[in-house]
Amino acid sequence: AEEIMQLSNTLVYNGLLECADQAVRNRKLSLSAPLTRVENSAVWSAIDPNRRLVFIDTDSGGDAAREERFDDEKARELATAERGADGLQRSNAGEANLVRNLVRAFRENGVDASDVVVVSPYRAQAALISSVVGNEAGVMT
C-alpha cells in the first residue's frame, strides 16, 4: 500500500504518484489462515501482515545467493533472458530459492496464488523464478 507506493514514487516517479483512496493507502496483507511460524527469519518477516514493505539482504546468503553471469554459450540456452550492461545475462539461484520459500509461506498461510506476483527486472531471473515457483505465483519482468 502506501509504503510500497512511496518507494517507487521516490525512486521512479519524482513524487507524482498518489494513492487512489484511504482504503488502498491502508491496505495490508490479509491471511485467511492463522499465521504459521516459518523457520527462515527473512521469510517470517516478509509474511508478517504488520510489515507492509520488507527488504531482504541476499548478500548474507554467501555464494548460494550470488548472481550468476552466463557466458554466451549458456546465454543462448536462455534465449528469452535479458543482458546486463556488460552484455552478460543475469540469474541468481539463491534469490530464486528465497522467492520460492516466500511464495510457499504465503500459500501455506492462506494467500491465494492469484494474489502472489513476483517482479524481476531481468528476464533470465524471471524465467528461473517461474521455473521454481510453478503455478503458485505470477512472475513477470
Side-chain angles (χ1 to χ4, degrees):
E2 186 173 28
E3 291 88 346
I4 297 169
M5 185 210 65
Q6 284 177 342
L7 177 66
S8 58
N9 197 15
T10 301
L11 296 175
V12 179
Y13 296 103
N14 296 320
L16 299 174
L17 291 179
E18 295 181 15
C19 282
D21 58 39
Q22 277 305 109
V24 172
R25 180 182 309 272
N26 297 322
R27 188 174 295 157
K28 64 181 183 178
L29 179 64
S30 175
L31 302 175
S32 62
L35 190 59
T36 304
R37 181 74 181 160
V38 177
E39 294 297 318
N40 183 310
S41 63
V43 172
W44 176 251
S45 68
I47 66 169
D48 180 353
N50 295 312
R51 299 183 70 179
R52 295 182 186 188
L53 181 64
V54 177
F55 288 95
I56 299 173
D57 176 14
T58 58
D59 276 347
S60 63
D63 288 340
R66 299 280 188 263
E67 178 180 86
E68 183 176 348
R69 296 178 183 200
F70 297 117
D71 61 21
D72 285 336
E73 182 177 329
K74 184 147 186 183
R76 280 191 286 278
E77 295 173 16
L78 299 170
T80 62
E82 189 162 312
R83 296 183 183 278
D86 58 6
L88 299 175
Q89 296 185 20
R90 299 289 193 265
S91 181
N92 186 313
E95 286 181 7
N97 287 326
L98 177 60
V99 169
R100 181 193 61 219
N101 292 338
L102 284 165
V103 168
R104 282 183 182 162
F106 282 124
R107 299 284 291 122
E108 289 169 0
N109 283 282
V111 178
D112 191 78
S114 65
D115 292 328
V116 181
V117 176
V118 179
V119 179
S120 173
Y122 298 110
R123 287 186 214 152
Q125 186 68 2
L128 179 59
I129 292 169
S130 186
S131 74
V132 298
V133 302
N135 62 357
E136 294 294 310
V139 180
M140 61 185 68
T141 55

